[in-house]
């Protein structure tokens, strides 16, 4: 079984402020909801703080979780309402089929691997110097920092993840007016065959946007080395092209830093459309 949970967080409580500011602390709270052997549990989570007064924690777990500790220390334990909604994930997985479209949200950590970082850290410099006489040196994982690079990372990987991001839908030009072409960027160019089949410009923009970008830095284990990574929030519309690969990404996550709130792809019906 797999379960998707949504938990309300009270940002004014001391424990909440700790969880909201430290992905490692939030990871610990999520794992604390798992009964049994946590080391055997594949868990994904994401913090949605669009409304800073009412942030929500989303979590995907294999076991049915118990969020009592989070509600008591970081929620509204005595207030009315649904403090933690836990739903069976199977009905959604049953809707995955080729050609099915969904609205989506994903917080991910776009990265690249390189053997020659532009501004290496002292640790990276020492590693490069120690392995200077070797032809093959294990590359460093570096986070993409610009929105353009992060969007490019996303769009160039959707095929392997089992979905495509459709071309943006635009209204035709008014009578007597020539329709202007969208500005071309290397980020928006889809596959030529897809463009031909779609009947639109090959450089047309896609139905995705970055709605948030963050840099995270905290100490591992509270007193160990600093962990630093960049994340981006992607929102838009997708079309399933490979149900098996897509289902795997839903269950296993996308990209690195999954323990720190990245990788959980959530879906919703497209407003105004009946499937």
């Amino acid at each position: 079984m797999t379960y998707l949970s949504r938990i309300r967080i009270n940002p004014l409580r001391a424990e909440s402020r700790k969880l909201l500011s430290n992905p490692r602390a939030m990871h610990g709270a999520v794992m604390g909801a798992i009964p049994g052997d946590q080391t055997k549990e594949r868990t994904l989570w994401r913090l949605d703080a669009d409304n800073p007064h009412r942030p929500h924690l989303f979590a995907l777990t294999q076991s049915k979780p118990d969020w009592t500790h989070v509600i008591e220390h970081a929620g509204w334990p005595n207030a009315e309402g649904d403090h933690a909604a836990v739903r069976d994930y199977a009905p959604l997985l049953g809707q995955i089929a080729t050609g099915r479209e969904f609205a989506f949200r994903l917080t991910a950590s776009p990265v690249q691997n390189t053997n020659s970082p532009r501004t290496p850290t002292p640790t990276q410099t020492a590693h490069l110097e120690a392995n200077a006489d070797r032809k093959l040196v294990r590359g460093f994982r570096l986070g993409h920092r610009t929105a353009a690079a992060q969007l490019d990372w996303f769009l160039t990987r959707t095929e392997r993840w089992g979905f495509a991001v459709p071309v943006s839908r635009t209204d035709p030009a008014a009578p007597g007016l020539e329709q202007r072409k969208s500005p071309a960027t290397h980020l928006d160019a889809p596959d030529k065959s897809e463009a031909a089949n779609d009947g639109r410009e090959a450089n047309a923009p896609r139905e995705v946007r970055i709605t948030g970008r963050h840099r995270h830095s905290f100490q591992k284990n509270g007193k160990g080395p600093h962990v630093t990574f960049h994340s981006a929030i992607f929102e838009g519309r997708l079309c399933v092209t490979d149900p098996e690969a897509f289902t795997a990404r839903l269950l296993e996550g996308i990209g690195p830093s999954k323990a720190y709130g990245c990788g959980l792809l959530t879906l919703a019906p497209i407003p105004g459309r009946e499937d």
Side-chain angles (χ1 to χ4, degrees), residues 133-152:
D133 57 339
R134 299 184 182 181
K135 293 183 179 180
L136 297 177
V137 179
R138 183 178 179 181
F140 301 102
R141 176 182 285 179
L142 304 179
H144 288 298
R145 301 184 181 184
T146 67
Q150 291 169 342
L151 186 59
D152 186 53

Side-chain angles (χ1 to χ4, degrees), residues 1-8 30 33-35 41 56-71 81-91:
M1 297 288 290
T2 303
Y3 298 89
L4 179 66
S5 302
R6 183 183 65 183
I7 305 95
R8 296 164 55 192
V30 171
I34 307 302
E41 185 87 9
H56 285 86
L57 168 66
F58 288 84
L60 189 69
T61 61
Q62 292 177 284
S63 302
K64 189 171 184 179
D66 180 359
W67 300 106
T68 302
H69 65 296
V70 176
I71 297 170
D82 196 359
H83 302 288
V86 181
R87 299 288 185 266
D88 183 0
Y89 208 48

Side-chain angles (χ1 to χ4, degrees), residues 88-199:
D88 183 0
Y89 208 48
L92 183 139
L93 295 179
Q95 299 178 38
I96 305 304
T98 301
R100 184 71 188 268
E101 293 190 354
F102 297 93
F104 75 90
R105 170 176 278 199
L106 166 71
T107 294
S109 179
V111 297
Q112 61 178 324
N113 292 316
T114 179
N115 291 322
S116 54
R118 292 183 179 180
T119 55
T121 64
T123 301
Q124 293 171 345
T125 299
H127 179 77
L128 291 171
E129 292 176 349
N131 295 275
D133 57 339
R134 299 184 182 181
K135 293 183 179 180
L136 297 177
V137 179
R138 183 178 179 181
F140 301 102
R141 176 182 285 179
L142 304 179
H144 288 298
R145 301 184 181 184
T146 67
Q150 291 169 342
L151 186 59
D152 186 53
W153 173 88
F154 177 82
L155 289 174
T156 56
R157 287 163 173 77
T158 57
E159 182 179 358
R160 73 181 72 167
W161 294 335
F163 65 90
V165 177
V167 173
S168 294
R169 298 174 178 175
T170 56
D171 295 329
L177 296 178
E178 181 180 359
Q179 187 171 3
R180 298 178 61 186
K181 295 182 179 180
S182 301
T185 70
H186 73 287
L187 300 177
D188 300 321
D191 182 80
K192 292 182 179 179
S193 61
E194 178 184 331
N197 294 333
D198 197 77

